[in-house]
Amino acid sequence: IRSIMVFLHAHGVSTSRAVRIFKTYGQGAIEIVQENPYRLAQDIRGIGFLSADTIAQKIGIAKDSPLRAQAGISYALTEASGQGHCGLPYAELVPLAVKLLDIAESIIETAIAQEVADEVLLPDTVEGQACVFLAPLYYAEQSIAAQIQRLDAGGTTLPAFEADKAIPWVEQKLSIQLADSQKEAIRLALSSKLLVITGGPGVGKTTLVKSILTIMTVKGVKPLLCAPTGRAAKRLSESTGLEAKTIHRLLEINPINGQFKRNADNPLECDLLVADECSMIDVPLANQLLKAVATRTAMILVGDVDQLPSVGPGQFLTDLIDSGVVPVIRLTEVFRQAATSRIVRSAHQINRGVFPSLPEKGEASDFYLVAAEEPEVIAQTVVDLVQTRLPRKFEVDSIRDIQVLCPMNRGITGARGINQALQAVLNPPGEHSVEKFGNRFSVGDKVMQIENNYDRDVFNGDIGFVTGVDQDEEELAVAFDGRVVSYPFGELDELVLCYATTIHKSQGSEYPVVVIPISTQHYMMLKRNLIYTGITRGKRLVVLVGQKRALAMAVKGKQVERRWSKLKERLVATKR
């Protein structure tokens, strides 16, 4: 072990990463790293291509070696998948790889050809453009189209329903009055094998799902409910009164190998599967979920298609809706009680590209814009609002009730900068704190898990509070919904402070109070669906802080980033 550590240290690898490398590769670590250091980027959490590349150059691998070129192309496509793409046009990939690796185009082209020959990459066309896909994403998209076709064609175990009797019965049972659009949706749900329900806030998606489940369960239908995140699953449980699980838990993930126990050979046992917050489901997860649905099971997918697409690759819900292969209910009517909320009204205005109507001076509202011009002033105003003004006026807790959501991570008005400013005033680090990977954690800090960890049973986006720092054992204790999880100091790169987080990371969550800094500094990120997603996270109160001009840019900026994916074409092809 000592010789392995000495070798890795000599090549600039930190102790905690060296321990991970040894745990992964064991006694053969030196040979593996010398033979192909680029494997580190694929196999070891926390080591990216750039770190592996630095080690490679220290070991003496030439800058223009085929090994580096091939690893670099996979890196370029993996980076692109982090931006939501399943593949990239050849015409974009080559210059991107040239820029990233600083080597000749001819070497890149040879490396792509080799990766295609080895079936690491797969060529295809998207809307007539020649593209290259990472193999797992290519196969996942193919599989999703095949699963949708299989489910659509299969029979069903659902009993026959008489909608004309069921609808008045459920209205009486739940003491509600359904709108015509909701009644129409129930009719469709009772007679469809697959159905998508979409719409913005306040349009009654929750009421509709509850009504459908109430009608079906009384007839003995066995449902299962799921959502992509723990918080979204909890909300689905609360709104329906039935148990809902995260998709990972529903599919029974095996923490040792990350494989799902529920799959095509061992499908989920239910008559109806309801999946909520489907705009957040990426292509790999959609594939795993659909594969585990038995052919006779009916499925209802619920989500707001106007929100940000999934953090992971693809745009599963949008492509499914746009392909026209499954029936879609689009709820647009905002209900009376929701229409009195400026949060809901503003969200719908923004979604239509209209600048939201702001409250008059002195008017009580649940949606405000606090004007501030300079980034420093915006950041300071956010801190003042969270620390004193909002708790005083609305009787809310600075740490537990208020969540700052930023369009981006970087800059003084980004999540990192605001996190440090808020930590300094709300929970200043004392002597019993630990500093690791650029973050300082103390008891009382609000933190977020930033990747799925099946061993600890905590998932990307889960929010917790630090309850203990044990310097002797070198462990940090964090409570997630009352369950305490311990982290060795060497693995604290799984956590970040969470007084502020990005709007992307907040998908599927709701918070009592949301504060959003908005500045033309973020112009790259000022997209309509981003601001819309941020605003719709707030339940009681939403406060935007910043420039009206920046908000206007976002509202006008419909330009949603193009995501390279072939899923829609594949789905359409199954209908022919």
Side-chain angles (χ1 to χ4, degrees):
I1 294 175
R2 181 158 70 243
S3 61
I4 290 169
M5 289 309 207
V6 168
F7 169 78
L8 291 170
H9 275 181
H11 292 96
V13 180
S14 70
T15 306
S16 56
R17 301 255 153 88
V19 170
R20 274 181 213 168
I21 293 171
F22 175 68
K23 276 186 182 165
T24 308
Y25 297 145
Q27 304 290 350
I30 295 180
E31 289 73 31
I32 289 169
V33 173
Q34 279 176 325
E35 189 185 323
N36 182 1
Y38 294 104
R39 272 188 61 180
L40 294 170
Q42 291 163 344
D43 300 342
I44 314 290
R45 188 175 57 73
I47 295 186
F49 172 81
L50 299 176
S51 312
D53 200 27
T54 309
I55 297 167
Q57 298 197 2
K58 286 190 173 168
I59 288 171
I61 288 174
K63 195 173 166 183
D64 58 359
S65 78
L67 189 68
R68 179 169 184 264
Q70 282 170 249
I73 285 155
S74 288
Y75 165 62
L77 280 168
T78 305
E79 287 289 288
S81 76
Q83 304 294 315
H85 303 293
C86 291
L88 275 185
Y90 197 84
E92 273 183 40
L93 177 60
V94 174
L96 177 65
V98 168
K99 190 175 140 202
L100 282 172
L101 302 173
D102 190 24
I103 50 182
E105 204 168 285
S106 57
I107 298 173
I108 299 288
E109 287 171 346
T110 308
I112 292 176
Q114 188 56 52
E115 293 281 88
V116 168
D118 294 342
E119 293 183 10
V120 174
L121 305 179
L122 293 166
D124 206 334
T125 59
V126 175
E127 292 169 16
Q129 282 212 56
C131 288
V132 187
F133 287 78
L134 286 168
L137 294 174
Y138 181 90
Y139 291 129
E141 287 197 342
Q142 261 188 343
S143 168
I144 288 172
Q147 307 303 333
I148 293 285
Q149 191 178 20
R150 167 181 69 87
L151 292 170
D152 196 33
T156 174
T157 51
L158 296 181
F161 294 97
E162 287 182 57
D164 292 336
K165 288 183 179 169
I167 290 168
W169 173 83
V170 82
E171 285 184 312
Q172 191 185 353
K173 170 102 175 135
L174 299 177
S175 315
I176 53 172
Q177 187 152 14
L178 294 164
D180 290 345
S181 56
Q182 288 177 312
K183 290 177 183 172
E184 205 41 55
I186 290 176
R187 285 176 199 283
L188 201 50
L190 297 179
S191 61
S192 300
K193 181 71 191 300
L194 295 173
L195 178 67
V196 173
I197 298 171
T198 188
V203 295
K205 294 193 297 288
T206 309
T207 308
L208 177 57
V209 171
K210 184 168 186 178
S211 304
I212 293 166
L213 285 165
T214 305
I215 293 168
M216 288 200 178
T217 47
V218 80
K219 279 270 198 134
V221 170
K222 183 187 176 199
L224 283 176
L225 281 65
C226 64
T229 65
R231 301 192 126 205
K234 199 169 164 190
R235 283 204 351 247
L236 183 59
S237 273
E238 285 163 3
S239 66
T240 58
L242 298 166
E243 185 191 16
K245 296 181 176 176
T246 63
I247 295 173
H248 286 91
R249 287 219 177 97
L250 184 77
L251 298 181
E252 297 174 30
I253 189 131
N254 177 347
I256 296 152
N257 59 13
Q259 301 291 314
F260 293 110
K261 292 177 191 165
R262 293 285 177 182
N263 50 35
D265 302 324
N266 180 26
L268 295 163
E269 289 158 32
C270 60
D271 304 309
L272 170 71
L273 179 67
V274 176
D276 197 7
E277 292 285 358
C278 289
S279 61
M280 297 176 65
I281 301 180
D282 61 20
V283 159
L285 189 57
N287 177 35
Q288 298 291 353
L289 180 62
L290 291 168
K291 279 202 295 200
V293 180
T295 304
R296 301 189 72 76
T297 297
M299 194 168 178
I300 297 177
L301 299 148
V302 188
D304 182 349
V305 77
D306 294 317
Q307 276 188 37
L308 288 169
S310 56
V311 175
Q315 44 191 17
F316 166 65
L317 185 63
T318 305
D319 287 343
L320 187 59
I321 291 172
D322 291 350
S323 70
V325 298
V326 296
V328 176
I329 290 286
R330 258 184 198 278
L331 300 172
T332 52
E333 196 179 332
V334 178
F335 288 101
R336 261 198 323 277
Q337 65 275 26
T340 59
S341 156
R342 265 194 201 270
I343 295 175
V344 172
R345 288 216 309 267
S346 304
H348 285 279
Q349 285 170 322
I350 287 169
N351 201 23
R352 292 198 304 272
V354 177
F355 193 89
S357 51
L358 299 166
E360 299 294 321
K361 198 160 178 59
E363 181 191 331
S365 172
D366 59 359
F367 179 82
Y368 297 95
L369 172 66
V370 177
E373 283 300 317
E374 297 306 316
E376 291 75 13
V377 181
I378 295 173
Q380 190 48 53
T381 307
V382 168
V383 172
D384 291 344
L385 282 164
V386 175
Q387 186 187 6
T388 46
R389 286 162 62 181
L390 296 177
R392 196 182 295 153
K393 183 167 182 188
F394 296 96
E395 295 180 352
V396 288
D397 183 290
S398 294
I399 298 179
R400 288 186 181 271
D401 297 332
I402 303 176
Q403 185 61 54
V404 179
L405 299 179
C406 304
M408 57 198 291
N409 252 317
R410 289 193 294 278
I412 187 169
T413 54
R416 281 193 209 119
I418 288 186
N419 256 324
Q420 285 170 343
L422 284 171
Q423 185 188 40
V425 297
L426 297 176
N427 193 37
E431 64 225 50
H432 296 302
S433 64
V434 55
E435 190 159 346
K436 278 279 177 195
F437 305 106
N439 276 312
R440 194 145 182 213
F441 300 110
S442 339
V443 172
D445 271 332
K446 183 179 187 178
V447 293
M448 180 187 274
Q449 171 80 14
I450 55 169
E451 56 186 69
N452 292 338
N453 186 318
Y454 309 113
D455 289 341
R456 295 197 182 96
D457 205 16
V458 281
F459 297 93
N460 191 350
D462 286 355
I463 292 178
F465 295 90
V466 177
T467 56
V469 180
D470 188 331
Q471 299 287 2
D472 299 335
E473 294 292 326
E474 296 205 339
E475 278 190 344
L476 186 83
V478 181
F480 293 96
D481 279 334
R483 192 173 64 88
V484 178
V485 178
S486 72
Y487 291 80
F489 285 175
E491 293 179 23
L492 289 180
D493 53 346
E494 289 189 20
L495 293 175
V496 293
L497 291 173
C498 187
Y499 299 101
T501 187
T502 60
I503 295 173
H504 277 94
K505 282 272 186 215
S506 73
Q507 277 176 276
S509 297
E510 271 189 352
Y511 313 94
V513 180
V514 163
V515 177
I516 304 176
I518 180 163
S519 149
T520 50
Q521 264 198 324
H522 305 145
Y523 73 96
M524 289 291 293
M525 300 298 292
L526 291 178
K527 305 277 194 293
R528 192 184 297 175
N529 59 355
L530 184 88
I531 299 301
Y532 171 79
T533 302
I535 288 171
T536 52
R537 303 305 92 208
K539 278 197 291 203
R540 281 178 50 194
L541 178 67
V542 173
V543 184
L544 303 184
V545 181
Q547 304 148 336
K548 259 191 172 171
R549 191 171 74 252
L551 180 58
M553 275 168 68
V555 172
K556 286 199 190 79
K558 177 70 172 151
Q559 69 298 4
V560 177
E561 295 290 307
R562 164 76 197 256
R563 288 193 163 197
W564 289 98
S565 149
K566 192 163 178 158
L567 181 58
K568 182 180 155 186
E569 285 181 53
R570 293 186 191 289
L571 287 164
V572 170
T574 63
K575 267 299 189 208
R576 288 189 191 132

Tab-separated table of all heavy atoms in Angstrom, residues 143-170:
chain	number	residue	atom	x	y	z
A	143	SER	N	-34.107	1.570	-26.675
A	143	SER	CA	-34.888	0.734	-25.773
A	143	SER	C	-36.172	1.442	-25.324
A	143	SER	O	-37.235	0.820	-25.267
A	143	SER	CB	-34.025	0.349	-24.568
A	143	SER	OG	-34.805	-0.208	-23.553
A	144	ILE	N	-36.088	2.762	-25.025
A	144	ILE	CA	-37.288	3.501	-24.590
A	144	ILE	C	-38.377	3.392	-25.668
A	144	ILE	O	-39.544	3.113	-25.374
A	144	ILE	CB	-36.966	4.989	-24.310
A	144	ILE	CG1	-36.154	5.114	-23.022
A	144	ILE	CG2	-38.249	5.820	-24.196
A	144	ILE	CD1	-35.613	6.515	-22.763
A	145	ALA	N	-37.991	3.603	-26.925
A	145	ALA	CA	-38.967	3.541	-28.024
A	145	ALA	C	-39.598	2.146	-28.098
A	145	ALA	O	-40.818	2.002	-28.266
A	145	ALA	CB	-38.297	3.906	-29.345
A	146	ALA	N	-38.759	1.122	-27.920
A	146	ALA	CA	-39.268	-0.255	-27.979
A	146	ALA	C	-40.215	-0.543	-26.803
A	146	ALA	O	-41.240	-1.207	-26.965
A	146	ALA	CB	-38.102	-1.246	-27.970
A	147	GLN	N	-39.864	-0.038	-25.601
A	147	GLN	CA	-40.705	-0.287	-24.415
A	147	GLN	C	-42.064	0.400	-24.553
A	147	GLN	O	-43.096	-0.163	-24.192
A	147	GLN	CB	-40.038	0.230	-23.118
A	147	GLN	CG	-38.629	-0.239	-22.838
A	147	GLN	CD	-38.487	-1.744	-22.795
A	147	GLN	OE1	-39.439	-2.458	-22.484
A	147	GLN	NE2	-37.315	-2.230	-23.144
A	148	ILE	N	-42.049	1.648	-25.055
A	148	ILE	CA	-43.318	2.375	-25.232
A	148	ILE	C	-44.210	1.611	-26.216
A	148	ILE	O	-45.410	1.434	-25.996
A	148	ILE	CB	-43.061	3.832	-25.721
A	148	ILE	CG1	-42.355	4.671	-24.641
A	148	ILE	CG2	-44.355	4.494	-26.185
A	148	ILE	CD1	-43.211	5.118	-23.468
A	149	GLN	N	-43.599	1.110	-27.269
A	149	GLN	CA	-44.352	0.337	-28.274
A	149	GLN	C	-44.932	-0.942	-27.636
A	149	GLN	O	-46.106	-1.270	-27.833
A	149	GLN	CB	-43.428	-0.025	-29.439
A	149	GLN	CG	-44.181	-0.579	-30.637
A	149	GLN	CD	-43.248	-0.893	-31.798
A	149	GLN	OE1	-42.035	-1.060	-31.625
A	149	GLN	NE2	-43.803	-0.976	-32.996
A	150	ARG	N	-44.095	-1.632	-26.856
A	150	ARG	CA	-44.526	-2.876	-26.182
A	150	ARG	C	-45.699	-2.606	-25.237
A	150	ARG	O	-46.712	-3.311	-25.256
A	150	ARG	CB	-43.334	-3.455	-25.398
A	150	ARG	CG	-43.688	-4.558	-24.413
A	150	ARG	CD	-42.474	-5.068	-23.660
A	150	ARG	NE	-41.907	-4.114	-22.720
A	150	ARG	CZ	-42.295	-3.955	-21.453
A	150	ARG	NH1	-43.308	-4.671	-20.974
A	150	ARG	NH2	-41.699	-3.087	-20.663
A	151	LEU	N	-45.580	-1.551	-24.418
A	151	LEU	CA	-46.631	-1.256	-23.436
A	151	LEU	C	-47.924	-0.822	-24.125
A	151	LEU	O	-49.022	-1.203	-23.719
A	151	LEU	CB	-46.160	-0.155	-22.471
A	151	LEU	CG	-45.026	-0.564	-21.525
A	151	LEU	CD1	-44.464	0.651	-20.804
A	151	LEU	CD2	-45.507	-1.593	-20.504
A	152	ASP	N	-47.762	-0.044	-25.194
A	152	ASP	CA	-48.920	0.473	-25.919
A	152	ASP	C	-49.706	-0.672	-26.564
A	152	ASP	O	-50.938	-0.668	-26.602
A	152	ASP	CB	-48.432	1.465	-26.987
A	152	ASP	CG	-49.577	2.319	-27.512
A	152	ASP	OD1	-50.492	2.619	-26.724
A	152	ASP	OD2	-49.559	2.675	-28.700
A	153	ALA	N	-48.966	-1.674	-27.051
A	153	ALA	CA	-49.610	-2.770	-27.782
A	153	ALA	C	-50.180	-3.831	-26.853
A	153	ALA	O	-51.053	-4.609	-27.232
A	153	ALA	CB	-48.590	-3.411	-28.735
A	154	GLY	N	-49.685	-3.880	-25.597
A	154	GLY	CA	-50.095	-4.947	-24.678
A	154	GLY	C	-51.500	-4.738	-24.155
A	154	GLY	O	-52.039	-3.636	-24.169
A	155	GLY	N	-52.103	-5.824	-23.671
A	155	GLY	CA	-53.430	-5.729	-23.055
A	155	GLY	C	-53.321	-5.046	-21.700
A	155	GLY	O	-52.272	-4.518	-21.344
A	156	THR	N	-54.405	-5.046	-20.917
A	156	THR	CA	-54.366	-4.398	-19.610
A	156	THR	C	-55.137	-5.228	-18.587
A	156	THR	O	-56.044	-5.978	-18.953
A	156	THR	CB	-54.950	-2.969	-19.689
A	156	THR	OG1	-55.034	-2.425	-18.383
A	156	THR	CG2	-56.338	-2.960	-20.325
A	157	THR	N	-54.766	-5.092	-17.326
A	157	THR	CA	-55.493	-5.804	-16.259
A	157	THR	C	-56.539	-4.887	-15.622
A	157	THR	O	-57.200	-5.268	-14.669
A	157	THR	CB	-54.513	-6.264	-15.151
A	157	THR	OG1	-53.720	-5.138	-14.759
A	157	THR	CG2	-53.593	-7.361	-15.641
A	158	LEU	N	-56.658	-3.646	-16.134
A	158	LEU	CA	-57.633	-2.724	-15.533
A	158	LEU	C	-59.053	-3.171	-15.830
A	158	LEU	O	-59.354	-3.611	-16.947
A	158	LEU	CB	-57.436	-1.297	-16.088
A	158	LEU	CG	-56.125	-0.577	-15.781
A	158	LEU	CD1	-56.134	0.814	-16.392
A	158	LEU	CD2	-55.877	-0.484	-14.282
A	159	PRO	N	-59.958	-3.056	-14.831
A	159	PRO	CA	-61.363	-3.390	-15.101
A	159	PRO	C	-61.993	-2.325	-16.003
A	159	PRO	O	-61.400	-1.265	-16.220
A	159	PRO	CB	-61.999	-3.360	-13.704
A	159	PRO	CG	-61.113	-2.471	-12.891
A	159	PRO	CD	-59.732	-2.607	-13.454
A	160	ALA	N	-63.205	-2.618	-16.499
A	160	ALA	CA	-63.910	-1.600	-17.295
A	160	ALA	C	-64.558	-0.601	-16.328
A	160	ALA	O	-65.087	-0.992	-15.287
A	160	ALA	CB	-64.978	-2.286	-18.141
A	161	PHE	N	-64.482	0.671	-16.655
A	161	PHE	CA	-65.064	1.710	-15.799
A	161	PHE	C	-66.207	2.404	-16.531
A	161	PHE	O	-66.140	2.587	-17.746
A	161	PHE	CB	-64.013	2.782	-15.458
A	161	PHE	CG	-62.885	2.270	-14.606
A	161	PHE	CD1	-61.688	1.879	-15.192
A	161	PHE	CD2	-63.010	2.182	-13.224
A	161	PHE	CE1	-60.637	1.402	-14.411
A	161	PHE	CE2	-61.959	1.720	-12.440
A	161	PHE	CZ	-60.778	1.327	-13.027
A	162	GLU	N	-67.200	2.832	-15.767
A	162	GLU	CA	-68.256	3.668	-16.344
A	162	GLU	C	-67.981	5.104	-15.902
A	162	GLU	O	-68.346	5.507	-14.791
A	162	GLU	CB	-69.626	3.212	-15.837
A	162	GLU	CG	-70.085	1.896	-16.455
A	162	GLU	CD	-71.471	1.512	-15.952
A	162	GLU	OE1	-72.413	2.320	-16.130
A	162	GLU	OE2	-71.605	0.421	-15.370
A	163	ALA	N	-67.347	5.856	-16.787
A	163	ALA	CA	-66.906	7.216	-16.434
A	163	ALA	C	-68.077	8.101	-15.992
A	163	ALA	O	-67.941	8.910	-15.069
A	163	ALA	CB	-66.178	7.846	-17.617
A	164	ASP	N	-69.255	7.928	-16.642
A	164	ASP	CA	-70.398	8.787	-16.305
A	164	ASP	C	-70.855	8.609	-14.851
A	164	ASP	O	-71.407	9.521	-14.251
A	164	ASP	CB	-71.586	8.502	-17.249
A	164	ASP	CG	-71.272	8.963	-18.665
A	164	ASP	OD1	-70.400	9.859	-18.801
A	164	ASP	OD2	-71.852	8.435	-19.624
A	165	LYS	N	-70.622	7.407	-14.306
A	165	LYS	CA	-70.967	7.181	-12.897
A	165	LYS	C	-69.779	7.537	-12.000
A	165	LYS	O	-69.955	8.058	-10.892
A	165	LYS	CB	-71.349	5.707	-12.678
A	165	LYS	CG	-72.697	5.337	-13.266
A	165	LYS	CD	-73.037	3.890	-12.938
A	165	LYS	CE	-74.395	3.517	-13.514
A	165	LYS	NZ	-74.637	2.071	-13.452
A	166	ALA	N	-68.597	7.190	-12.460
A	166	ALA	CA	-67.387	7.349	-11.632
A	166	ALA	C	-67.101	8.819	-11.326
A	166	ALA	O	-66.699	9.158	-10.203
A	166	ALA	CB	-66.185	6.716	-12.336
A	167	ILE	N	-67.312	9.713	-12.306
A	167	ILE	CA	-66.936	11.118	-12.121
A	167	ILE	C	-67.787	11.795	-11.036
A	167	ILE	O	-67.223	12.347	-10.083
A	167	ILE	CB	-66.952	11.873	-13.474
A	167	ILE	CG1	-65.777	11.359	-14.340
A	167	ILE	CG2	-66.824	13.386	-13.259
A	167	ILE	CD1	-65.812	11.778	-15.791
A	168	PRO	N	-69.131	11.728	-11.104
A	168	PRO	CA	-69.914	12.332	-10.010
A	168	PRO	C	-69.619	11.667	-8.657
A	168	PRO	O	-69.589	12.329	-7.621
A	168	PRO	CB	-71.377	12.127	-10.423
A	168	PRO	CG	-71.364	11.316	-11.664
A	168	PRO	CD	-69.990	11.257	-12.208
A	169	TRP	N	-69.369	10.343	-8.675
A	169	TRP	CA	-69.065	9.633	-7.416
A	169	TRP	C	-67.801	10.200	-6.764
A	169	TRP	O	-67.768	10.466	-5.567
A	169	TRP	CB	-68.906	8.135	-7.701
A	169	TRP	CG	-68.439	7.368	-6.486
A	169	TRP	CD1	-69.227	6.904	-5.460
A	169	TRP	CD2	-67.094	7.004	-6.156
A	169	TRP	NE1	-68.455	6.283	-4.507
A	169	TRP	CE2	-67.141	6.322	-4.902
A	169	TRP	CE3	-65.859	7.179	-6.773
A	169	TRP	CZ2	-65.995	5.817	-4.273
A	169	TRP	CZ3	-64.713	6.689	-6.158
A	169	TRP	CH2	-64.782	6.015	-4.915
A	170	VAL	N	-66.752	10.404	-7.591
A	170	VAL	CA	-65.477	10.854	-7.011
A	170	VAL	C	-65.577	12.322	-6.559
A	170	VAL	O	-64.967	12.724	-5.573
A	170	VAL	CB	-64.285	10.610	-7.972
A	170	VAL	CG1	-64.151	11.694	-9.030
A	170	VAL	CG2	-62.978	10.512	-7.173
